[in-house]
Amino acid sequence: MSLRRGARHFVKDQRGVMLVTTALLIPVFILFVAFVMATADWYVHKRHLQTQADAAALAAASDIAFPCSAATLTKINATVTKYGATLNPQVESSPSNIHLVVNKPTYYNQSTADDTPDADPCAAKMVDVKATETDLRDILGAGIVPNINAHARVELFQAAEITGSLPLAVPEPAPKHVRAFLVDETTGTTLASANLDKNGTDSNGNNVWDSGGDTLSVTVGSRDRMGLRIALSGQTSTTCGDPLVACYDYDAGAGTDSAPAQKGLVFVHGYEAAASGQQPGPPKVHSATLTSTSCPDPYFSVATSCNVALHADVDFGVGINDPRKAASAGGVGAILTATVGNATYPLSWSSGQTWDTTETIPVGAGSGPVPIQLSWEEQAGTVGADTCKPSGNKCKGSFGTVQRSFSGNDARSGPIQLLQIMKGGVAGANSLRQCDAQNAACTYSLGVRVAIQGTLATAQTINDPKVILRTADQNQSQLLDCDPALTDRQEIVQGCGKRYTLNTGTVCPKSGVLWGSPQPWQCVAIQTGAKTNPVPAGLNERILGDPKASSCTRPDGWGPNFYKAQFGAWDHADPRIVQLLLTPFGSFNGQGSDSTVPVVNFGMFYVTGWAGQGSGFDNPCETTDVPSDPLLRDEAAGGAGNIVGHFISYPPPDGIPSPTQCDPTVITTCVPVLTR
């Protein structure tokens, strides 16, 4: 019996211990549960805060534009707040507890720094968002959870692949190779040629190419008319007539065929120096050169109206005497006259054999070649069997063209802005002595300098010149057939549904083969023929909502030209912002159909204007927005079917990035990538 009572007593004691133990463990268990729930709550807040930071960085990176203005930075910061807080509020937390900092090395109210540059997003070319949630209390409300941090960084990378581009291409104006050819203008024979190397830029930002010294070895012989033609190439070949090679010379359009040029862009005069102009023989012209104080260069200029003067050495056979005087006074009654078109310009005798016009021979802007002929007359003595006299005189003749100026334009000289022939590093070697007893070799080492319009660039100021996209004035315009499943108009309205990527050296096949190959495509087909109505009809529909729009607006407020008002703070909703393809130099110099060209880059473009041609397809915005402000007019220089606008730096809403970080200051398409 005592044993049983002992066992019962032991059991009662154990129950008491368990009760005490349980009582002691309950608070611990409650704290443990609270800890688990607090941890889970912290995790939920942490995950959502990361979502807020990611959304803010990705959205704001799409607002980066160049040049970057105060409005751009304001828009970026507003987008960070919008997507990091307003549209994505934290769960069960006051908005005042969420703190977002942009491009700072430390989190809000914290001191530990990382590698984030302390610079605005445009300068850093990234949007780095650090999000911090403060004052988060535990489930019991008894304590404050340490700050929750989240970090997101979006950087810009060059696009490797895009879709949705307009069926328009822009050829890169800067060639890969340049070659100079000196030709005999009488026979078309090439006398010498030399490759030119890129050598910096001039004060206007044009790329300078030169021969690196006097490397053009030319034997003049008895030639009196020579010319310099220039080949610009988007590939390794500089042979005129090859794909992507444009050759520029005297004749408009000569760069599009393989026939030998008869004349160059600049003229080189070959002259006799030993032959005498003594009567009864006719006078002899020696050197003939040009000077100018108003032309950038007297032999070649672009986009300016200016005047040149002709300087000629002419031997009338009277030594140092004044050749204008009568024979009894040691002269021959000489008269020299320069002729340009139907206008004449007298030359005045200076001394010896030197004669000059005043600087009054006009060179019109973009007028092309300005040949200058030189005529002579002797009014005393005899020339041949003729007696020279003041009236009814037969002692007269012409030396023909002795010099030539050239005023370049887009069709005749393309992107060439300056062209000089050098001798001993000095420009103006445009008059060379022929072979004679005292100049038996008559071989000259010449240099060539060419300034070529710089590469395409994004607009850095509102007043930057417009870019013209030609779709109607040549057989191969800048219009593409980028999506064989769509019509020309549909391609403009919808954008090309096919995917394109950068060409890294692939030879382009015919269009049928290209369209049957897997995407993305590295080449694009050229659309041939004038498209004066499909282009404006497509733009009217894309931008204004109707192919035959009669009003320069649409219900959502878009349509008018906001280029000036939103410069640097673009809006993705603006239908005037489009994606274009870039192709090599010379892509549209050819003829015929079924041509394809490489895709070498992409670029964002703001369409400021386009021109239609009747039939209801006129641009209703043309000259009606703000007629007094040319920046807000929509006229398209160059005629029906053409488009004008500016390249801008603005990331598109989609695109596949490459591993190459983007330089938004040059034309390319930048894709935002979440890198942290």
Side-chain angles (χ1 to χ4, degrees):
M1 290 294 293
S2 63
L3 182 58
R4 289 180 180 177
R5 284 196 300 268
R8 286 197 298 268
H9 180 72
F10 177 78
V11 171
K12 289 179 180 180
D13 287 346
Q14 291 297 313
R15 288 175 180 172
V17 171
M18 289 298 295
L19 182 62
V20 172
T21 302
T22 301
L24 292 175
L25 288 177
I26 285 175
V28 176
F29 178 74
I30 293 173
L31 289 175
F32 176 76
V33 171
F35 174 77
V36 171
M37 295 182 69
T39 301
D41 191 43
W42 179 91
Y43 178 77
V44 169
H45 279 249
K46 170 73 173 177
R47 185 175 62 180
H48 191 78
L49 190 66
Q50 186 64 56
T51 300
Q52 291 174 281
D54 292 347
L58 283 167
S62 294
D63 291 331
I64 296 179
F66 290 85
C68 195
S69 64
T72 309
L73 297 177
T74 298
K75 186 177 181 181
I76 290 172
N77 287 318
T79 300
V80 168
T81 301
K82 178 180 179 181
Y83 285 87
T86 307
L87 296 182
N88 287 300
Q90 179 62 288
V91 294
E92 301 175 350
S93 182
S94 170
S96 63
N97 292 352
I98 306 300
H99 306 275
L100 303 167
V101 295
V102 179
N103 283 32
K104 297 294 182 182
T106 59
Y107 288 89
Y108 169 78
N109 204 27
Q110 299 172 55
S111 59
T112 303
D114 63 11
D115 62 348
T116 304
D118 189 357
D120 69 68
C122 297
K125 301 173 186 175
M126 69 169 67
V127 175
D128 186 280
V129 175
K130 288 184 173 67
T132 300
E133 182 178 0
T134 59
D135 300 326
L136 177 64
R137 293 185 174 273
D138 61 31
I139 192 171
L140 299 178
I144 297 176
V145 177
N147 290 339
I148 300 175
N149 292 326
H151 183 195
R153 177 181 295 176
V154 174
E155 299 178 74
L156 300 179
F157 287 79
Q158 184 175 341
E161 182 182 323
I162 60 100
T163 187
S165 68
L166 251 62
L168 291 164
V170 182
E172 170 60 63
K176 292 184 178 180
H177 296 279
V178 179
R179 191 170 184 86
F181 300 86
L182 191 69
V183 299
D184 185 328
E185 291 198 343
T186 302
T187 65
T189 303
T190 298
L191 305 176
S193 67
N195 284 320
L196 309 185
D197 297 316
K198 191 182 292 187
N199 189 12
T201 58
D202 63 13
S203 58
N204 296 316
N206 299 311
N207 293 318
V208 175
W209 296 69
D210 61 37
S211 55
D214 298 338
T215 58
L216 203 67
S217 182
V218 180
T219 300
V220 175
S222 59
R223 298 177 179 88
D224 60 351
R225 293 176 176 83
M226 293 161 284
L228 189 70
R229 79 185 312 213
I230 299 295
L232 308 182
S233 174
Q235 54 145 319
T236 56
S237 171
T238 52
T239 301
C240 299
D242 280 359
L244 308 184
V245 179
C247 292
Y248 294 97
D249 47 47
Y250 182 103
D251 298 314
T256 62
D257 58 47
S258 58
Q262 300 300 308
K263 299 177 181 179
L265 280 180
V266 295
F267 182 79
V268 180
H269 174 240
Y271 65 87
E272 295 180 89
S276 173
Q278 181 74 41
Q279 289 185 351
K284 300 293 183 181
V285 62
H286 294 168
S287 68
T289 58
L290 300 176
T291 61
S292 178
T293 59
S294 58
C295 297
D297 182 272
Y299 300 101
F300 184 92
S301 58
V302 175
T304 183
S305 294
C306 54
N307 296 322
V308 298
L310 174 67
H311 300 265
D313 287 348
V314 180
D315 181 6
F316 283 97
V318 294
I320 62 172
N321 296 322
D322 185 345
R324 299 171 299 173
K325 293 183 177 180
S328 60
V332 292
I335 298 174
L336 281 178
T337 305
T339 303
V340 178
N342 295 321
T344 58
Y345 305 88
L347 280 79
S348 300
W349 178 74
S350 177
S351 63
Q353 299 178 356
T354 303
W355 296 71
D356 307 279
T357 68
T358 57
E359 192 176 307
T360 54
I361 300 175
V363 180
S367 59
V370 183
I372 303 173
Q373 296 184 331
L374 184 63
S375 300
W376 61 271
E377 183 174 351
E378 296 183 12
Q379 296 181 339
T382 59
V383 175
D386 297 318
T387 300
C388 307
K389 49 188 178 180
S391 61
N393 189 18
K394 294 183 180 180
C395 300
K396 61 178 63 177
S398 174
F399 297 117
T401 299
V402 296
Q403 202 46 260
R404 190 168 69 228
S405 186
F406 194 102
S407 181
N409 57 49
D410 184 58
R412 312 218 33 183
S413 54
I416 298 174
Q417 305 296 299
L418 176 71
L419 179 57
Q420 295 177 325
I421 300 177
M422 323 285 290
K423 184 180 179 184
V426 179
N430 295 71
S431 191
L432 302 175
R433 180 175 176 176
Q434 297 174 352
C435 290
D436 54 51
Q438 288 76 42
N439 188 37
C442 64
T443 297
Y444 300 89
S445 293
L446 305 176
V448 176
R449 176 185 295 144
V450 184
I452 299 174
Q453 193 172 40
T455 59
L456 294 169
T458 56
Q460 297 300 303
T461 70
I462 294 177
N463 298 307
D464 279 7
K466 295 178 180 178
V467 176
I468 300 176
L469 307 179
R470 304 183 184 280
T471 69
D473 59 356
Q474 56 196 54
N475 178 266
Q476 289 188 353
S477 66
Q478 292 169 242
L479 192 64
L480 304 172
D481 192 357
C482 59
D483 191 335
L486 302 176
T487 65
D488 302 330
R489 180 174 139 193
Q490 288 173 330
E491 288 176 337
I492 293 176
V493 175
Q494 303 175 26
C496 304
K498 306 303 180 182
R499 294 180 291 120
Y500 285 89
T501 188
L502 301 182
N503 191 305
T504 57
T506 299
V507 176
C508 290
K510 293 293 185 180
S511 58
V513 177
L514 174 68
W515 293 335
S517 64
Q519 298 176 49
W521 294 333
Q522 298 183 30
C523 303
V524 63
I526 294 176
Q527 182 70 267
T528 57
K531 303 293 181 182
T532 54
N533 281 333
V535 169
L539 287 173
N540 281 348
E541 186 172 354
R542 181 187 183 100
I543 295 173
L544 304 176
D546 187 335
K548 294 186 177 182
S550 58
S551 174
C552 187
T553 188
R554 61 188 201 182
D556 60 7
W558 294 109
N561 178 359
F562 291 109
Y563 177 75
K564 185 175 182 179
Q566 296 188 348
F567 187 80
W570 317 108
D571 193 313
H572 282 301
D574 193 337
R576 289 175 178 256
I577 298 177
V578 298
Q579 176 92 254
L580 298 181
L581 302 178
L582 271 64
T583 59
F585 178 89
S587 293
F588 304 100
N589 292 328
Q591 299 287 328
S593 59
D594 201 17
S595 297
T596 59
V597 291
V599 176
V600 297
N601 210 337
F602 316 116
M604 302 301 293
F605 192 79
Y606 193 98
V607 177
T608 58
W610 64 96
Q613 188 178 41
S615 302
F617 297 118
D618 288 329
N619 173 9
C621 301
E622 189 172 352
T623 69
T624 63
D625 284 352
V626 184
S628 62
D629 189 343
L631 287 173
L632 295 182
R633 290 195 209 125
D634 280 9
E635 73 274 17
N642 288 344
I643 303 167
V644 295
H646 299 267
F647 278 102
I648 62 175
S649 180
Y650 191 48
D654 53 17
I656 296 178
S658 72
T660 304
Q661 284 197 311
C662 202
D663 181 359
T665 63
V666 300
I667 291 181
T668 189
T669 293
C670 300
V671 179
V673 179
L674 187 66
T675 59
R676 188 171 299 182

